[in-house]
Amino acid sequence: MFAAATKSFVKQVGDGGRLVPVPSLSEADKYQPLSLVVKKKRCFLFPRYKFTSTPFTLKDILLGDREISAGISSYQLLNYEDESDVSLYGRRGNHIVNDVGINVTGSDSIAVKASFGIVTKHEVEVSTLLKEITTRKINFDHSLIRQSRSSRKAVLCVVMESIRTTRQCSLSVHAGIRGEAMRFHFMDEQNPKGRDKAIVFPAHTTIAFSVFELFIYLDGAFDLCVTSVSKGGFEREETATFAFLYRLRNILFERNRRVMDAISRSQFYLDDLFSDYYEKPLSMSDISLKEGTHIRVNLLNHNIPKGPCILCGMGNLKRETVYGCFQCSVDGQKYVRLHAVPCFDIWHKRMK
């Protein structure tokens, strides 16, 4: 009956689907802010998740004894009184009957009355908590962490807000025929046929809560998943390996792009040199045949094999030549290879 009432409360209050009804009155005190719960998917046939309470708080699974400084704010949310008529042939009606054990002989519906009164909302200061967890690490030796880590379906969550009652509250149900006036009795002795049931629970009982999932990295750091898009869980070894390979791929791609840009720029530079040469042509005697100038020679006559031209033989285009100059040297080599025309004259024109 308590579970049915909290589900009805969450359905009517809404909050964008973030609120979760407390499933049991006996566990209501375990869904306080900063408490830890385990979220697990039932199976592929049931899209909803099951939340299981734990006796631990966020501080219990962190390294060190320092307390969490994030505060908790409270304010009144609403005054909740609900009376509804539930058909016995629906899923909710069947759930209430099985939960309460009410006598439904000759009845086709159940009248449900929930009197929560004024309820308050208690929520963690998210911004303060986010700043604090940047310097904290998860203790992987904690029993809850070990058990959750071994299950791929379990996700650890921290309770970020809870909704509580402020006074003693009552829940009552009555089985009857649709259209009858509702009758509620708080003592079973007054109703020997068992067609009415009622419970009373104390003030400050949690009836709903919301959580943020935790994503825990291999080094013990963790993140709060503050949006529904981000998902919690544990970083796996294969996930870390894939991330490393992805970063390595990006680094190699960027390096290759820079090399290709450099080759492209050098090619443009050579094109400018050659275009300048052809726009302002020089005769073969302008430089090479003057007295005291460098002389082009056939390197094969000096037992030097054919090789790439120092000007146009670099990069992707391996243009080779047998000619060169002994009066020039590059990188400790006592000669340079240069095409007879136009590279020889362009090289020495630039040297001037």
Side-chain angles (χ1 to χ4, degrees):
M1 183 160 52
F2 179 80
T6 56
K7 286 181 181 179
S8 178
F9 172 82
V10 168
K11 184 177 180 181
Q12 295 184 46
V13 173
D15 198 22
R18 292 178 57 247
L19 276 181
V20 181
V22 174
S24 171
L25 182 59
S26 62
E27 296 184 353
D29 60 335
K30 296 181 180 179
Y31 296 97
Q32 306 304 320
L34 295 180
S35 297
L36 293 176
V37 298
V38 178
K39 177 182 177 181
K40 185 178 293 186
K41 195 170 184 178
R42 299 174 185 270
C43 69
F44 69 95
L45 295 177
F46 297 92
R48 294 183 180 180
Y49 290 88
K50 178 183 179 181
F51 291 86
T52 305
S53 63
T54 72
F56 304 108
T57 64
L58 180 60
K59 173 185 174 297
D60 296 331
I61 64 171
L62 299 180
L63 293 173
D65 298 327
R66 182 158 50 97
E67 294 289 339
I68 294 178
S69 61
I72 299 174
S73 58
S74 305
Y75 58 91
Q76 289 188 0
L77 185 62
L78 51 84
N79 189 349
Y80 184 80
E81 303 285 342
D82 178 57
E83 295 182 5
S84 58
D85 192 13
V86 182
S87 172
L88 286 177
Y89 305 107
R91 183 174 60 181
R92 184 184 172 199
N94 289 330
H95 179 76
I96 294 176
V97 171
N98 295 330
D99 187 27
V100 178
I102 191 172
N103 182 9
V104 294
T105 305
S107 304
D108 63 357
S109 62
I110 300 175
V112 181
K113 181 179 180 180
S115 178
F116 290 160
I118 295 176
V119 297
T120 54
K121 187 175 184 179
H122 306 260
E123 56 186 4
V124 180
E125 296 176 356
V126 178
S127 58
T128 306
L129 182 60
L130 289 175
K131 291 178 182 178
E132 183 170 355
I133 65 175
T134 56
T135 59
R136 304 296 294 270
K137 298 284 187 178
I138 295 291
N139 179 12
F140 284 107
D141 293 329
H142 195 280
S143 59
L144 180 61
I145 298 298
R146 292 200 307 268
Q147 294 171 21
S148 302
R149 196 177 184 184
S150 63
S151 173
R152 289 182 175 268
K153 294 183 178 180
V155 176
L156 275 181
C157 306
V158 57
V159 176
M160 297 301 295
E161 62 180 16
S162 64
I163 297 178
R164 306 177 199 167
T165 61
T166 57
R167 61 169 176 81
Q168 190 179 66
C169 303
S170 62
L171 294 174
S172 52
V173 295
H174 165 68
I177 299 175
R178 197 178 291 270
E180 284 187 345
M182 289 191 295
R183 298 179 294 110
F184 297 102
H185 301 282
F186 288 85
M187 301 295 292
D188 278 341
E189 297 90 277
Q190 301 175 1
N191 182 34
K193 293 184 179 181
R195 297 175 66 83
D196 297 285
K197 293 284 183 177
I199 61 172
V200 177
F201 54 91
H204 310 298
T205 299
T206 302
I207 58 177
F209 64 95
S210 68
V211 300
F212 282 168
E213 297 182 11
L214 295 178
F215 186 84
I216 302 174
Y217 296 93
L218 293 173
D219 61 353
F222 65 100
D223 286 334
L224 281 178
C225 301
V226 297
T227 65
S228 58
V229 178
S230 54
K231 300 299 181 183
F234 290 86
E235 184 182 24
R236 305 293 176 181
E237 293 286 350
E238 57 269 24
T239 304
T241 302
F242 176 80
F244 169 76
L245 293 176
Y246 183 77
R247 290 194 297 269
L248 180 61
R249 169 191 171 276
N250 289 340
I251 292 173
L252 294 177
F253 179 81
E254 179 65 18
R255 182 176 297 176
N256 184 61
R257 186 188 64 81
R258 291 179 180 178
V259 170
M260 295 304 296
D261 288 345
I263 293 174
S264 177
R265 286 194 297 269
S266 65
Q267 191 63 41
F268 287 142
Y269 175 71
L270 289 177
D271 292 342
D272 291 340
L273 281 178
F274 286 120
S275 62
D276 180 68
Y277 176 81
Y278 286 114
E279 288 172 3
K280 298 178 181 180
L282 299 172
S283 67
M284 294 181 63
S285 60
D286 286 341
I287 296 176
S288 302
L289 301 183
K290 291 181 181 179
E291 183 179 356
T293 60
H294 294 204
I295 305 298
R296 62 172 64 88
V297 296
N298 190 327
L299 299 177
L300 294 178
N301 297 332
H302 300 272
N303 297 322
I304 299 175
K306 183 179 181 180
C309 175
I310 196 171
L311 269 186
C312 64
M314 303 302 170
N316 292 331
L317 303 176
K318 302 294 184 181
R319 298 187 179 96
E320 296 184 336
T321 180
V322 297
Y323 293 97
C325 177
F326 278 113
Q327 285 80 18
C328 298
S329 63
V330 175
D331 296 333
Q333 188 172 270
K334 296 182 180 180
Y335 63 91
V336 294
R337 291 188 179 90
L338 291 163
H339 283 103
V341 177
C343 297
F344 188 93
D345 289 337
I346 292 175
W347 172 267
H348 290 90
K349 178 182 179 183
R350 187 180 64 174
M351 293 295 289
K352 278 192 171 186

